[in-house]
Amino acid sequence: MTALATPAPPAAARRPARPHLLRWLIRLHRPALLVWLGSVVVLGALLLWLGGPLTDASAAAWKEYDACSWSSRCTYDMDAIGRYKDWYTYTTIAVLAVPFLAAAWSGAALVSRELEQGTAQLAWTQSVSPARWLAFKLAVPAVVIAVGSGLLVGLHHWAWAASQGRIDTAKHWYDVGTYAANGPATVALALVGLAVGALFGLVRCESLVSLVGALCATAFAWGALAYATPYLWPTATKISSLGHDRPAGSGIVVSQGLVTSGGARIADPHCGPVTDQACRVVYHKLDAVSYFNEYHPQSHYWPLQLTATALLLATAAALTLAAFRLLRRRIDPAPVRRAAAV
């Protein structure tokens, strides 16, 4: 007895196969993906070189310099010191440029170009809802950008840490460029750039306009974050003697000055130590008894970075939500139906 074969459903009743969005997205943006992967590999290799051979050579040169006796001829590898300094600057700038590159690409190519050329509307007619289309357009690049920029930030932090205590001119943790390139806030800022680029692409379906808008918005976010950073965490205050040239304590300074005998805080005239006769007279007239320094020490580094990262991630989430709402307004047929009913 032969088994009866179940007849195949008619072609008209079959559900249309959904296009493979990941494959489509990679094919569409393959050049950008290859450039990004190549950039991460090259910059990562440079950071490994910086934190390894360049740091070792510069540290050895500084050791020779510090051992010099100025009564005799001193020889040390000045080129190694300069080479480390130059490449540290180059790699730091490259890491800081990542959020702006993400914003420029997102504004110019991620959303605006497809809306401008009509390929997005074509995808929406092939069983891909606009919301799912935008979700893929944001989620996949977000993962790629977060992983790549996170790797670069981690390597930069490692290369910087390798120089501490070994190279006399190594940047302090609170240097503006070093602080930004060493922490996860730069990764979060790259995601803000991605989201704001997509939002501008939906607002204005013109690649050039979206690119410029995304870059300006990312630059504004970076500037606002740099300005707000000292106020993201409670500061520490150190009181020190007027016998020093300046207030004690190093880090991100919020406020410095003098403390009077009554406990009031006043501006520092930057005269010098009280051991100088002229400065002693100045401090006496001001009734100053000590310095004060309101600042963030190195122990505040991670609280500041994590707070900034949380704020930027919240901003990226808000921008993403705004993009979805704007997309829904662009395609919502309700106004058309209401107009027809009238």
Side-chain angles (χ1 to χ4, degrees):
M1 183 176 180
T2 59
L4 297 176
T6 303
R14 296 176 188 172
R15 295 181 60 186
R18 289 188 174 183
H20 199 292
L21 286 180
L22 181 59
R23 186 183 308 160
W24 161 75
L25 186 62
I26 293 175
R27 182 181 302 171
L28 187 63
H29 297 286
R30 183 179 299 168
L33 177 61
L34 293 177
V35 170
W36 170 245
L37 293 177
S39 300
V40 171
V41 170
V42 172
L43 184 52
L46 288 174
L47 287 168
L48 289 173
W49 180 51
L50 175 70
L54 281 184
T55 297
D56 292 340
S58 183
W62 274 109
K63 189 174 181 180
E64 293 172 354
Y65 176 84
D66 293 335
C68 282
S69 173
W70 294 109
S71 59
S72 61
R73 184 178 178 181
C74 181
T75 58
Y76 62 97
D77 191 352
M78 185 183 301
D79 291 339
I81 294 175
R83 193 179 305 115
Y84 170 85
K85 186 176 180 180
D86 290 342
W87 280 102
Y88 183 87
T89 301
Y90 301 151
T91 53
T92 299
I93 292 174
V95 172
L96 295 179
V98 167
F100 297 94
L101 294 176
W105 171 76
S106 177
L110 183 61
V111 172
S112 60
R113 181 178 297 174
E114 287 199 57
L115 292 174
E116 192 176 15
Q117 296 177 348
T119 55
Q121 292 82 345
L122 178 63
W124 299 344
T125 63
Q126 297 181 357
S127 302
V128 178
S129 67
R132 186 164 177 259
W133 170 84
L134 183 58
F136 253 84
K137 297 286 285 186
L138 290 174
V140 176
V143 172
V144 174
I145 291 173
V147 172
S149 59
L151 176 63
L152 295 178
V153 165
L155 287 174
H156 189 280
H157 194 285
W158 168 80
W160 167 83
S163 68
Q164 297 303 292
R166 302 174 62 197
I167 298 176
D168 293 6
T169 54
K171 295 292 186 180
H172 296 291
W173 70 272
Y174 51 85
D175 174 76
V176 175
T178 298
Y179 174 84
N182 273 356
T186 295
V187 180
L189 184 61
L191 297 179
V192 170
L194 174 70
V196 78
L199 182 60
F200 268 100
L202 289 167
V203 172
R204 293 291 299 272
C205 304
E206 300 177 21
S207 299
L208 182 59
V209 175
S210 299
L211 183 151
V212 174
L215 284 177
C216 292
T218 304
F220 174 80
W222 193 90
L225 180 65
Y227 175 80
T229 291
Y231 309 101
L232 296 179
W233 197 257
T235 58
T237 302
K238 179 168 285 190
I239 305 297
S240 56
S241 169
L242 293 176
H244 303 286
D245 291 336
R246 53 184 298 177
S250 62
I252 300 176
V253 176
V254 177
S255 178
Q256 287 182 339
L258 301 174
V259 180
T260 65
S261 60
R265 294 183 176 184
I266 60 176
D268 184 359
H270 301 286
C271 180
V274 74
T275 52
D276 181 83
Q277 180 62 32
C279 292
R280 186 181 300 118
V281 173
V282 172
Y283 294 141
H284 179 73
K285 289 181 179 179
L286 294 173
D287 191 29
V289 295
S290 59
Y291 290 116
F292 79 89
N293 186 12
E294 191 177 354
Y295 72 113
H296 292 286
Q298 190 169 3
S299 59
H300 289 190
Y301 173 79
W302 282 111
L304 288 171
Q305 278 281 354
L306 294 178
T307 303
T309 301
L311 290 174
L312 288 172
L313 289 177
T315 302
L319 291 170
T320 302
L321 178 62
F324 276 97
R325 292 179 66 89
L326 181 59
L327 177 65
R328 183 177 179 182
R329 288 181 59 184
R330 288 178 62 92
I331 63 173
D332 188 7
V336 178
R337 290 198 300 267
R338 286 195 294 268
V342 173

